[in-house]
Amino acid sequence: MPLITIRATPGAFTAESKARLVEAITNAACEAESLPAANRVRTIVIWEDLTDVYLGAQPAQELARLLLLDFVASDGVLDPVRREAFAHDVHWAALGEPADDRPVKTSVLFHDVPEGRWGRDGTIMRLPAMAAAAGFEHLKGLA
C-alpha cells in the first residue's frame, strides 16, 4: 500500500507517456510489495509537474528529463532487493518513453515509516494489520 509521489521537469513527458509511466510504476510498486492484483487500487500515485528545477545553475529541462520519486511504505515491507528492483524498473520504464534527445535521469527516495507512525482511516496501522489488509504475499506470516 505505497504512497508514491512523482515529480518531473517541465515538458519531460507527454500526457500519454505520463499515463504509461504511472501504469509501469504502479506495476513495479505492486511487484516490490508483493501486492496481489486485487489490491492494486491501494497503490496511490501522485504526479507533480515541477516548474523550476536547476542542475547547477542551468534550467534542468534544457539538460535532461528528470523523474524524481518518493516511495513511502511501512518499515519492514521493502528489503534491499525489493528496493533495487523497483528503482531499476522505474528507470527502464522512463527510458522507454521517447520524447527527445535529452537524457532521462531518475531518482528514487525510499521512506520507511516506523511502526506506529502511519495513520490511516482514523487509526494507526501497524505492520501486521497492514500486511493482512494489503495481502502482502511475502508478509503473510505477520497477519
Side-chain angles (χ1 to χ4, degrees):
M1 302 184 334
L3 172 58
I4 299 169
T5 302
I6 302 169
R7 294 173 184 89
T9 47
F13 302 96
T14 65
E16 295 81 20
S17 64
K18 284 181 192 179
R20 285 190 299 269
L21 276 168
V22 168
E23 180 74 18
I25 289 167
T26 298
N27 290 340
C30 290
E31 181 70 25
E33 289 195 336
S34 296
L35 195 62
N39 289 346
R40 173 185 169 90
V41 297
R42 294 179 180 264
T43 302
I44 299 170
V45 178
I46 301 164
W47 186 293
E48 297 176 347
D49 285 316
L50 300 171
T51 55
D52 297 317
V53 182
Y54 297 88
L55 293 172
Q58 295 182 317
Q61 63 266 29
E62 295 175 8
L63 302 172
R65 293 184 293 145
L66 300 180
L67 190 68
L68 313 171
L69 284 84
D70 288 313
F71 188 118
V72 180
S74 289
D75 192 23
V77 174
L78 298 176
D79 60 23
V81 172
R82 291 171 183 279
R83 287 186 189 96
E84 179 76 26
F86 180 80
H88 175 271
D89 290 350
V90 165
H91 184 71
W92 288 101
L95 284 179
E97 292 299 334
D100 53 43
D101 60 352
R102 293 176 295 164
V104 173
K105 303 290 184 184
T106 61
S107 177
V108 180
L109 296 176
F110 294 94
H111 304 276
D112 298 319
V113 178
E115 180 68 17
R117 299 228 176 145
W118 192 309
R120 183 162 174 259
D121 297 332
T123 188
I124 298 298
M125 287 291 283
R126 306 224 179 262
L127 187 56
M130 191 172 284
F136 298 135
E137 295 293 329
H138 66 298
L139 298 177
K140 280 187 174 179
L142 293 178

